[in-house]
Amino acid sequence: MAAIELINVVKRYGDGEPAVNNVSLDIADGEFMILVGPSGCGKSTLLRMIVGLEDITEGEIRIGGVRVNEMAPRERNLAMVFQNYALYPHLTVFENIAFPLRLAKRPDHEVTERVEHVAEMLELKELLRRKPSQLSGGQRQRVAMGRAIVRDAQAFLFDEPLSNLDAKLRGQMRTEISRLQRRLGTTTVYVTHDQTEAMTLGDRVAVLRKGTLQQCATPRELYENPVNLFVAGFIGAPPMNLLPARVSGGQVELPFCTVPVPQGVDPDEVEGRLLIAGLRPGHFEDAEYVEAGKLELGQTFEATVDVTEWLGNEQFAYVPYESPPEIRAQVEALAQELDMEAAHPQLIISLDPASRIQEGQRARFWVDVRRMHLFDPRTGANLALSSAAVS
């Protein structure tokens, strides 16, 4: 096991544009670090630089305190699990797992002992004589993980290992990977574009955008305190509601109600500004299901519901609203960057599954205004967290 340090790491290709731009990141010994972001953000490139499959243009990478920039991949003692499993079709499960030990010329008795130990850990003992073509997708991925574990590597690197699996199997494999990492305590760097994997697996999550690190924090911190509009829009499912917000007289005028300027934002510095307010669907409720003592902590309002979705354990209501062209254009551009479909402006409200609100109904809702964020449309910065005053 070893800590991994990325110090001002840059990767440029032939066109000169940085695929990874001045990324600095400290990954603690034994930590499970997630690299997440939309397609093309540089997360896989960063992982490949750590393992040595990509050269570093600028900066430095240290593993266990040792500079590895000039080291070949085989000298870094890292184990990588790929998206496509990368198993040898002509070898049995046993020999696929044993392959790194064979390369290291380990004695047969040690190979057998270690492969059987790993196979038992991954519930593969009954499959050791099979070939990869006789395995399911989840079994193949466990074999690939076994080949990585058997090496006693300093760190595990996962490059979108679950993206070829169906949704149910992905959930099962997430649990297995999490349990295994906690058991082994090995430093792990895991690349994914799936925020569910990011939020459920990682000790910390590093969010990348166009090669630049936006925020690195625990999943809860990312969800509750995104540093900018990009992180706010990327983290959360359903996504955060991004609403036009006009500040006037110390109040924030939203499409459906007027609320106080949130704590941490100086009302004088945003007076008269058109901003973007962020409120998650879970910060709303059907007012009929809010306790009396809680009502006064937020704001109630009425709105007409366009569509409802009942999913058994959760329910959502969709309320359309009007948005100024400049705010709508920015939100649509963000949705496009995040590979989401840009729909017409609508408020997403999370309801109690027992709520009986119907489509087309004028209903009374409650919003927890204490949880609202305000973002600068020009810079995207979260004004409550920004150290610089916004004029």
Side-chain angles (χ1 to χ4, degrees):
M1 296 185 293
I4 299 174
E5 300 171 78
L6 309 179
I7 306 168
N8 304 120
V9 172
V10 176
K11 175 63 181 181
R12 291 192 183 90
Y13 292 103
D15 60 4
E17 287 295 317
V20 173
N21 190 13
N22 198 35
V23 171
S24 293
L25 195 60
D26 290 333
I27 304 169
D29 189 0
E31 183 175 21
F32 201 135
M33 174 66 74
I34 305 290
L35 305 181
V36 71
S39 300
C41 71
K43 54 189 183 294
S44 290
T45 301
L46 196 58
L47 192 77
R48 291 170 64 84
M49 286 195 289
I50 293 173
V51 79
L53 298 177
E54 294 276 1
D55 294 330
I56 301 168
T57 306
E58 297 175 21
E60 185 173 271
I61 295 179
R62 293 181 173 272
I63 301 174
V66 178
R67 175 186 166 97
V68 298
N69 289 38
E70 292 78 25
M71 287 186 182
R74 65 179 179 275
E75 299 173 313
R76 302 188 187 194
N77 191 25
L78 302 174
M80 192 160 180
V81 179
F82 296 92
Q83 176 180 346
N84 61 357
Y85 317 135
L87 301 179
Y88 297 103
H90 63 290
L91 297 181
T92 63
V93 168
F94 183 100
E95 290 300 333
N96 266 284
I97 296 175
F99 191 77
L101 302 178
R102 300 292 192 202
L103 282 181
K105 302 187 185 305
R106 301 288 189 182
D108 287 345
H109 71 88
E110 181 184 345
V111 171
T112 299
E113 180 181 335
R114 291 174 66 173
V115 170
E116 289 184 349
H117 174 69
V118 168
E120 184 174 1
M121 187 186 306
L122 295 171
E123 300 180 3
L124 292 170
K125 288 201 74 172
E126 305 301 320
L127 307 175
L128 288 176
R129 296 183 180 278
R130 294 189 186 182
K131 299 286 183 66
S133 61
Q134 299 171 295
L135 305 178
S136 68
Q139 290 168 339
R140 293 180 194 181
Q141 195 55 276
R142 289 208 302 273
V143 174
M145 290 166 57
R147 186 176 54 194
I149 294 167
V150 79
R151 292 183 50 191
D152 285 334
Q154 292 193 88
F156 298 149
L157 307 179
F158 290 85
D159 190 5
E160 304 202 44
L162 308 183
S163 43
N164 288 340
L165 306 180
D166 61 51
K168 183 177 181 180
L169 194 52
R170 280 202 303 271
Q172 178 184 338
M173 288 299 298
R174 280 201 308 269
T175 303
E176 291 187 17
I177 290 173
S178 180
R179 184 181 294 120
L180 188 64
Q181 199 274 339
R182 298 293 183 269
R183 178 177 176 180
L184 298 174
T186 305
T187 307
T188 301
V189 185
Y190 187 107
V191 162
T192 181
H193 66 276
D194 184 333
Q195 61 162 294
T196 301
E197 290 180 24
M199 300 296 277
T200 56
L201 286 174
D203 295 321
R204 287 191 298 157
V205 179
V207 182
L208 293 163
R209 179 189 193 188
K210 297 179 180 178
T212 302
L213 180 63
Q214 301 294 299
Q215 185 174 4
C216 181
T218 64
R220 182 178 293 273
E221 180 70 14
L222 287 177
Y223 186 85
E224 295 181 348
N225 294 301
V227 297
N228 59 34
L229 200 58
F230 178 84
V231 176
F234 186 79
I235 298 296
M240 178 181 281
N241 293 297
L242 300 176
L243 311 166
R246 176 82 64 182
V247 181
S248 177
Q251 299 288 305
V252 181
E253 299 172 2
L254 300 174
F256 46 85
C257 64
T258 299
V259 301
V261 171
Q263 191 173 8
V265 178
D266 187 341
D268 294 334
E269 292 183 346
V270 294
E271 179 66 25
R273 295 281 307 279
L274 179 60
L275 306 173
I276 295 177
L279 282 161
R280 296 203 178 275
H283 298 160
F284 296 84
E285 295 182 39
D286 179 346
E288 297 300 318
Y289 287 82
V290 180
E291 298 175 0
K294 187 178 175 181
L295 275 174
E296 61 187 25
L297 299 177
Q299 179 80 35
T300 59
F301 64 95
E302 290 189 357
T304 302
V305 176
D306 182 33
V307 175
T308 60
E309 291 180 339
W310 186 81
L311 304 175
N313 64 332
E314 56 186 353
Q315 185 175 190
F316 298 98
Y318 295 83
V319 177
Y321 62 86
E322 294 298 323
S323 182
E326 60 268 38
I327 298 298
R328 179 168 181 171
Q330 185 163 355
V331 172
E332 287 179 349
L334 179 63
Q336 184 176 6
E337 184 179 351
L338 296 176
D339 299 326
M340 298 188 303
E341 185 177 349
H344 61 277
Q346 59 182 352
L347 180 67
I348 305 174
I349 297 174
S350 179
L351 300 174
D352 188 293
S355 173
R356 293 296 187 265
I357 290 177
Q358 301 293 319
E359 296 178 1
Q361 179 183 344
R362 184 79 175 172
R364 183 166 168 259
F365 298 101
W366 178 86
V367 57
D368 188 348
V369 296
R370 300 167 300 172
R371 312 293 290 277
M372 183 175 70
H373 301 278
L374 284 182
F375 300 96
D376 182 347
R378 295 174 299 179
T379 66
N382 186 333
L383 299 181
L385 302 178
S386 176
S387 58
V390 180
S391 59

